Amino acid sequence: MLCDVCGKNPATVHLTEIIDEQMNELHLCEECARHKSAAMEQQFGLSDLLAGMADFEKHPNKEEEAVAVKCPACGLSYADFKKIGRLGCGNCYNVFRKYLAPLLKRIHGSSQHIGKNPLQAKVSAAKPVKKKAGLAELKSQLQKAILAEAFEEAASLRDQIKELETKKEKE
Amino acid sequence: MQINDLINHTSEWLKGTGPHSDVVISSRIRLARNLNKFPFPHWASKVQLNGILEKCSQAMEKVDLLKDATWFILAELDSIDKQLLVERHLMSIEHTQKTEQKAVLVNNEENIAVMINEEDHLRIQLMQSGFNLFEAWEIINGIDDALAKLLDYAYLEDFGYLTACPTNTGTGMRGSVMLHLPALVMSRQIERVLAAIAKLSFTTRGLYGEGTQASGNFFQISNQVSLGHSENEIIENINGLIRQIIEQEAQARQIMLTKNKEILEDRINRSLGILKSARIITSQETIELLSMVRLGSDLGMIEDIDRRTINELFIITQPAHLQKIENVKLSSDQRDLKRAELIRKKLNLVS
Ligand SMILES: [Zn+2]
Ligand SMILES: [Zn+2]
């Protein structure tokens, strides 16, 4: 088998690429494979992809407004973020919250963190303070648990929802 | 520990033990963490990077599990040393570039590695042999708790742990499992499996992450989503997927054993034969042949070579390891000679 790229040398490296859920098989000679992996490393920053995702195709006015916003803590502008695909500091998340929330939702399918938090660790083990999830969050978790047939988890979620709802009624 | 000690040492995760270690090489969890009030590394000044390094290293000296660990300052290492750390999976290729104020902390067992000033201020990694993500999570969670008491992490209630790249925001967690799937590859079922994985928002990479090259039938599978699920949920999701892949690989192996036993035996023993007698061998060919020998060992067709020896050979035949062992810079052609020599020595010694 000859190399797919140069067609001259025997193909010794076989790789599978997945681009947009499309699988491609590539058979390359060692030389072309080296070029290829160098090119992939450059891309690896994901920045192009992210920069593309952060575009506001539908709201050109909104984009202009967004691009000018700067994080006062680190000086990174939203235009910078679009260019490099990286935020400048933690505070950028506060400053660009309005634009980042939909972006995070597109990347992760959610913009609400569920999971551990650093305060938990700071409080002594005797008094674990767990941040309670909101009602809407619990309900969506319940839905997921039922779909996944995780009935034990579903039952515990149902109890938590009940507890929250009765609390709300009292308020 | 010195960098030269690494080559005479077997990383904990290479031992070839742990659940399902016939199919799963290793399980890895990494957490991305950043400090409040400091810009992310790519946006920070030299003075700020120094401050980050200092704060992080002071905190880590107080963590019990990191007490015996060794610091490697990237700017002080030559290119072979840096590559050696990458080949041992102790740090990323990205960490070898622009090395100012970058460091990596490695414990004696080599199952814990913490990169400072990579893409995020802290990248904490835990590697386990075999299929063992929950155990890895328990240990790394403890380290993270200890560090959270000493450091002020960048965190928001809604977005979770804040990271330089929004693809890591939330838990900042990436769980990866390294799989050896020769039977699925040989029976041409791997395409179907990989396509299914891609649809489920998991990523598949090769032996060394980044460049997607999956050589020698090794595949590293990890979660893409880090926000909106708890750490336990993320691990359960990966585990569910991995369990299915393990099952499919086991079935494919079984079918090959019943239908094509002679062909399989032939391929495995030829691979071992080449490794035991070759005089010149590339790293690519080594990985492919070792993959077959590992399968032979897993199936009981090769009895005198254990998994650990095979796992070790994958690592010590890499370019930087060869040059470290020989203690001299080698060209690619010279490496192919030395590699063949080293493999012959190791394999003929055990049998
Ligand atoms: Zn070519
Ligand atoms: Zn900022």
Side-chain angles (χ1 to χ4, degrees):
Chain A
M1 188 189 294
L2 288 177
C3 169
D4 288 344
V5 174
C6 63
K8 276 186 274 178
N9 306 324
T12 52
V13 178
H14 310 280
L15 45 119
T16 313
E17 273 190 327
I18 302 170
I19 300 166
D20 296 334
E21 299 184 5
Q22 279 279 319
M23 289 230 334
N24 291 314
E25 267 199 21
L26 274 176
H27 308 282
L28 306 173
C29 69
E30 236 175 283
E31 169 102 34
C32 293
R34 219 169 290 137
H35 285 298
K36 172 102 190 149
S37 73
M40 274 190 298
E41 247 149 61
Q42 283 184 345
Q43 275 178 20
F44 179 61
L46 277 172
S47 52
D48 292 336
L49 167 81
L50 281 174
M53 286 178 91
D55 274 335
F56 300 88
E57 314 88 9
K58 291 175 201 155
H59 308 286
N61 297 335
K62 228 180 172 180
E63 180 178 17
E64 266 169 41
E65 170 202 315
V67 161
V69 181
K70 242 184 190 187
C71 168
C74 74
L76 183 117
S77 71
Y78 201 75
D80 292 326
F81 169 59
K82 283 185 61 182
K83 212 184 311 158
I84 56 184
R86 300 273 190 281
L87 278 318
C89 73
N91 190 51
C92 289
Y93 281 87
N94 273 323
V95 179
F96 307 133
R97 166 175 266 112
K98 196 160 57 160
Y99 316 109
L100 284 176
L103 176 67
L104 288 167
K105 198 151 190 187
R106 265 198 277 174
I107 299 172
H108 299 283
S110 165
S111 56
Q112 175 61 54
H113 172 61
I114 305 166
K116 75 178 289 191
N117 71 62
L119 303 172
Q120 250 167 270
K122 281 189 178 154
V123 181
S124 72
K127 214 176 80 187
V129 177
K130 225 177 171 181
K131 192 208 142 211
K132 288 218 167 128
L135 203 52
E137 204 55 51
L138 283 173
K139 281 185 176 164
S140 104
Q141 281 181 38
L142 173 63
Q143 211 58 40
K144 266 190 230 159
I146 292 171
L147 281 175
E149 297 183 21
F151 297 119
E152 229 170 277
E153 198 193 330
S156 131
L157 284 166
R158 202 167 292 146
D159 292 345
Q160 289 177 54
I161 290 171
K162 243 189 222 157
E163 192 189 328
L164 255 182
E165 277 175 341
T166 39
K167 234 192 224 162
K168 264 204 176 150
E169 275 165 26
K170 276 183 201 159
E171 282 169 13
Chain B
M1 186 170 63
Q2 303 270 311
I3 196 131
N4 290 331
D5 299 333
L6 290 173
I7 47 172
N8 299 317
H9 180 257
T10 307
S11 314
E12 193 66 30
W13 63 273
L14 277 173
K15 294 206 163 138
T17 54
H20 295 283
S21 46
D22 52 342
V23 178
V24 182
I25 310 287
S26 62
S27 305
R28 187 178 71 125
I29 296 212
R30 78 108 169 94
L31 295 175
R33 297 289 186 256
N34 287 284
L35 305 185
N36 230 345
K37 308 228 157 67
F38 280 95
F40 299 136
H42 77 98
W43 201 247
S45 68
K46 199 175 157 179
V47 175
Q48 287 166 325
L49 287 172
N50 256 328
I52 296 157
L53 182 56
E54 203 174 304
K55 270 195 187 297
C56 292
S57 49
Q58 280 170 1
M60 273 181 283
E61 268 153 31
K62 296 192 185 108
V63 176
D64 279 341
L65 273 170
L66 303 175
K67 286 246 158 81
D68 72 336
T70 308
W71 283 101
F72 296 109
I73 308 298
L74 271 293
E76 292 170 5
L77 301 180
D78 65 23
S79 62
I80 292 179
D81 287 344
K82 283 186 279 189
Q83 203 187 330
L84 187 90
L85 293 169
V86 175
E87 288 175 3
R88 297 183 80 78
H89 296 255
L90 296 171
M91 64 180 213
S92 63
I93 295 168
E94 189 177 334
H95 213 45
T96 65
Q97 318 288 319
K98 293 191 219 123
T99 54
E100 257 182 24
Q101 278 69 46
K102 283 184 178 174
V104 60
L105 181 68
V106 177
N107 73 334
N108 280 341
E109 288 73 33
E110 284 184 71
N111 62 338
I112 305 171
V114 186
M115 287 188 283
I116 312 240
N117 285 331
E118 205 237 28
E119 186 182 298
D120 294 298
H121 297 154
L122 284 165
R123 285 282 177 102
I124 312 162
Q125 160 183 299
L126 204 123
M127 294 258 271
Q128 292 277 100
S129 187
F131 185 27
N132 237 336
L133 279 177
F134 271 118
E135 205 178 297
W137 165 243
E138 249 168 59
I139 302 170
I140 204 170
N141 190 23
I143 296 172
D144 182 51
D145 280 349
L147 285 172
K149 284 181 198 148
L150 302 159
L151 296 167
D152 185 16
Y153 280 157
Y155 176 90
L156 286 172
E157 283 221 344
D158 52 352
F159 294 154
Y161 293 90
L162 308 175
T163 53
C165 183
T167 51
N168 297 311
T169 310
T171 55
M173 186 175 97
R174 185 89 65 231
S176 316
V177 177
M178 180 76 76
L179 296 161
H180 183 223
L181 307 172
L184 285 174
V185 173
M186 280 188 277
S187 60
R188 298 185 184 280
Q189 298 180 68
I190 194 72
E191 284 79 8
R192 184 178 52 75
V193 174
L194 292 181
I197 296 169
K199 281 208 184 87
L200 291 167
S201 69
F202 290 89
T203 29
T204 313
R205 301 198 178 102
L207 205 51
Y208 281 93
E210 291 83 64
T212 57
Q213 179 175 332
S215 52
N217 310 320
F218 291 96
F219 300 87
Q220 188 179 300
I221 293 172
S222 43
N223 63 298
Q224 244 169 1
V225 169
S226 57
L227 180 64
H229 294 274
S230 70
E231 291 84 358
N232 280 321
E233 277 170 7
I234 293 172
I235 293 171
E236 262 163 35
N237 284 338
I238 305 173
N239 279 353
L241 175 72
I242 299 296
R243 261 184 237 115
Q244 287 180 40
I245 302 173
I246 292 173
E247 181 59 32
Q248 294 192 14
E249 169 68 16
Q251 274 176 19
R253 287 184 188 186
Q254 210 46 54
I255 291 169
M256 279 169 83
L257 270 180
T258 41
K259 286 193 179 158
N260 299 307
K261 189 164 185 215
E262 290 81 7
I263 297 174
L264 195 60
E265 260 173 343
D266 179 69
R267 250 192 101 172
I268 285 167
N269 283 293
R270 274 170 187 270
S271 300
L272 182 58
I274 294 171
L275 287 171
K276 276 185 171 174
S277 48
R279 292 312 194 253
I280 298 171
I281 194 163
T282 64
S283 119
Q284 182 70 25
E285 188 183 3
T286 304
I287 290 174
E288 277 162 19
L289 296 173
L290 279 173
S291 164
M292 292 311 297
V293 171
R294 187 169 157 139
L295 178 63
S297 160
D298 292 338
L299 295 175
M301 287 179 179
I302 293 175
E303 281 174 349
D304 49 3
I305 303 170
D306 63 1
R307 237 180 242 153
R308 178 183 170 148
T309 306
I310 302 167
N311 285 355
E312 258 174 349
L313 274 172
F314 279 109
I315 303 294
I316 62 173
T317 54
Q318 300 282 328
H321 274 80
L322 282 177
Q323 296 178 77
K324 263 297 183 202
I325 292 167
E326 297 295 328
N327 203 14
V328 59
K329 240 181 146 67
L330 300 167
S331 71
S332 171
D333 289 346
Q334 291 169 323
R335 288 203 297 270
D336 292 351
L337 275 168
K338 287 291 174 194
R339 181 178 296 115
E341 193 184 310
L342 178 69
I343 296 169
R344 285 204 311 277
K345 206 165 80 187
K346 288 267 173 190
L347 288 182
N348 292 318
L349 195 79
V350 286
S351 48

